[in-house]
Amino acid sequence: MGGTDSVSLKRIVFLTVGTTSFDALVKVADTLEVKQELTRRGYTHLLIQMGRGTYLPAESIGEDGLLAVDCFTFSSSIADHLSSASLVISHAGSGSIFETLRLGKPLIVVVNEDLMDNHQSELAEELADRKHLYCAHPQSLHQVIVGMDLKSLLPYQPGDATPVAKLINRFLGFPDD
Amino acid sequence: MDGCYFCIMAIIATSVAIFLIRLLHVLYLTGKSRRLKSPQPLSTLIVLGSGGHTAEMMNLLSVLQMDRFTPRFYIAAATDNMSLQKARVFEDSLLHKKVIKGSSAQFMQIYRSREVGQSYVTSVWTTLLATTHALWLMVKIRPQVVLCNGPGTCIPLCVIAFLFKVIGIRWSSIFYVESIARVKRLSLSGLLLYKLCIADQFFVQWPQLQRKYPRAHYVGCLM
C-alpha cells in the first residue's frame, strides 16, 4: 500500500453527513476499531464530509498501516465523491440515500439518535428491510461493518414520478400522454 | 334601535349560514375532478421546501407537461436559499431544451410561521405575520393548481387556497405528495391536509401509509 505505487487501486470509503452536524458519526468513524476493520476489508482511503460538525477527525496519509483519512466540511456537489467511492457511509437524509442508491454504491446509513422526532429512521429501516442498504446507529457502526456482506445487497430500481403525473393530469381533465 | 339590531343579526346569521353551506359544498367537491373538454393551461403554485422536498418536487415537475401548468409560481421559505436556486436552474433548463418558449415563472419567498427552536410566545406573532404574508401572496397569484409535498410553508398557502374556493375568489385543485421519507407516519403537514380534507388528491409513496390512510393514492417511490 505504498504511496509510490502508482498502480495501487484506491478503494475509498466516503462518509457524508450532508448539511447537518453529526459529530457522533464522525467520532465513531475516527475510532481505531472502525478504521482497522475498514483497512482489513481492503479500503485504502476514508474521506469524511463533516458538514456543520465541530469534531475534527485526525487526518492521516496512512503510514501507520491504517487507511488514509481526509476530511472536509462541505462541497457544492458530493456527486463526484459518491461516484469514486467503493463504500458510502451516510446520515439518514433522503437526498443522500437516493443519490447513492441511484449510483449503485453499497451504502451504510447511520441514524442520528439525537434528532427529535426521528422520522428519518423509518426510511433507512424500510430500505434496509428491502436489502438495499445497511442501517446502523453510531454505536453499532463497527458491528455492522464487521458483519456486512455487500454482495448480498439488492440494487435499487430508481423510482418514477409518472404515476403521479398521470393521476394529476386525469384529475385536471388533460388528455393522457 | 331594535329593528336595526335585528337586521344586523339577520345579516350575520345569513352570511354564516351561506358560508357554512358553501364550505360543505366545497368539501363535497374536494377530490372530484371537474373535467373540461379541452382544458386551458392552469396557473400553478409550487411550494418548495428544504432538504429532500425540493429534489422530490423537481422530479415530479420533470414529468409534467409544462405548457399545461403555466404560469408557474415557486414559493420557498425566506430562510431557504437553495430551493429557489434549484427551481431557477430547472426553469432555465426548460428554456434551454426549448420545452418552453418564454420565461413564465416567478420566484417568491414567504415568512416562516416558526423557526426551529423559536419560543412559542414569539411564534404567535410570527405565525400571524406569516399568514398575512401568505394571504398577500395568494391574492396576487390566485393559482388554479397547487403542488406541494410536505414543508410547513405549504399549510397556510393550502388553507388560503381552500378558503378562496369557499368564498369564490378562485377555484383550485390542490395536490399533495407526501415525502418519500414518510414510510409509516404522515408528516404534520400531511396529517393536517388529509384530516381537514383540503387536498383534492393526496399521494403517498409507501403502501403502509395507504393502508393507514385509505383516501390517499399509493403511487410508489418517486425517487
Side-chain angles (χ1 to χ4, degrees), chain B residues 94-149:
Chain B
L94 291 177
L95 272 169
H96 242 273
K97 290 188 245 176
K98 300 206 163 59
V99 176
I100 53 173
K101 288 178 215 108
S103 160
S104 56
Q106 286 186 53
F107 307 89
M108 287 160 271
Q109 290 188 306
I110 189 173
Y111 293 118
R112 287 183 78 159
S113 306
R114 182 175 168 269
E115 296 291 340
V116 177
Q118 187 183 340
S119 87
Y120 286 104
V121 176
T122 55
S123 295
V124 174
W125 165 244
T126 50
T127 301
L128 275 167
L129 196 67
T131 311
T132 313
H133 191 209
L135 189 61
W136 169 249
L137 289 172
M138 287 297 281
V139 167
K140 282 207 298 182
I141 303 172
R142 292 197 302 280
Q144 294 164 297
V145 172
V146 180
L147 296 176
C148 51
N149 67 354

Side-chain angles (χ1 to χ4, degrees), chain A residues 85-160:
Chain A
S86 304
L87 170 67
V88 178
I89 300 175
S90 165
H91 77 303
S94 61
S96 288
I97 291 176
F98 288 107
E99 218 182 318
T100 308
L101 289 178
R102 276 207 296 267
L103 288 169
K105 298 290 175 175
L107 172 60
I108 303 175
V109 172
V110 183
V111 176
N112 189 348
E113 292 152 317
D114 294 331
L115 289 178
M116 273 187 13
D117 174 36
N118 204 343
H119 75 267
Q120 285 187 338
S121 64
E122 278 180 24
L123 178 63
E125 284 159 14
E126 178 68 25
L127 291 170
D129 281 346
R130 292 175 183 229
K131 304 219 184 322
H132 294 305
L133 49 84
Y134 283 102
C135 187
H137 293 273
Q139 307 92 309
S140 67
L141 180 61
H142 175 249
Q143 234 175 304
V144 170
I145 297 174
V146 167
M148 69 186 184
D149 173 15
L150 298 179
K151 289 198 210 72
S152 72
L153 290 177
L154 300 174
Y156 175 76
Q157 298 305 323
D160 183 14

Side-chain angles (χ1 to χ4, degrees), chain B residues 61-117:
Chain B
L61 291 176
S62 58
V63 297
L64 287 172
Q65 280 182 274
M66 292 290 105
D67 58 345
R68 295 172 174 177
F69 301 91
T70 187
R72 288 179 294 288
F73 302 87
Y74 294 89
I75 291 189
T79 46
D80 175 4
N81 300 312
M82 298 283 304
S83 295
L84 287 179
Q85 186 52 30
K86 288 190 190 150
R88 282 182 216 268
V89 167
F90 173 75
E91 288 286 331
D92 284 342
S93 77
L94 291 177
L95 272 169
H96 242 273
K97 290 188 245 176
K98 300 206 163 59
V99 176
I100 53 173
K101 288 178 215 108
S103 160
S104 56
Q106 286 186 53
F107 307 89
M108 287 160 271
Q109 290 188 306
I110 189 173
Y111 293 118
R112 287 183 78 159
S113 306
R114 182 175 168 269
E115 296 291 340
V116 177

Side-chain angles (χ1 to χ4, degrees), chain A residues 11-24:
Chain A
R11 292 190 73 227
I12 304 171
V13 180
F14 179 57
L15 188 150
T16 171
V17 305
T19 53
T20 69
S21 160
F22 195 179
D23 281 343

Side-chain angles (χ1 to χ4, degrees), chain A residues 122 126 156 159-160 171 177, chain B residues 33 65 184-185 208 221 223:
Chain A
E122 278 180 24
E126 178 68 25
Y156 175 76
D160 183 14
F171 185 87
D177 299 324
Chain B
S33 99
Q65 280 182 274
K184 299 193 183 117
R185 292 175 300 151
Q208 294 94 317
C221 292
M223 299 293 281

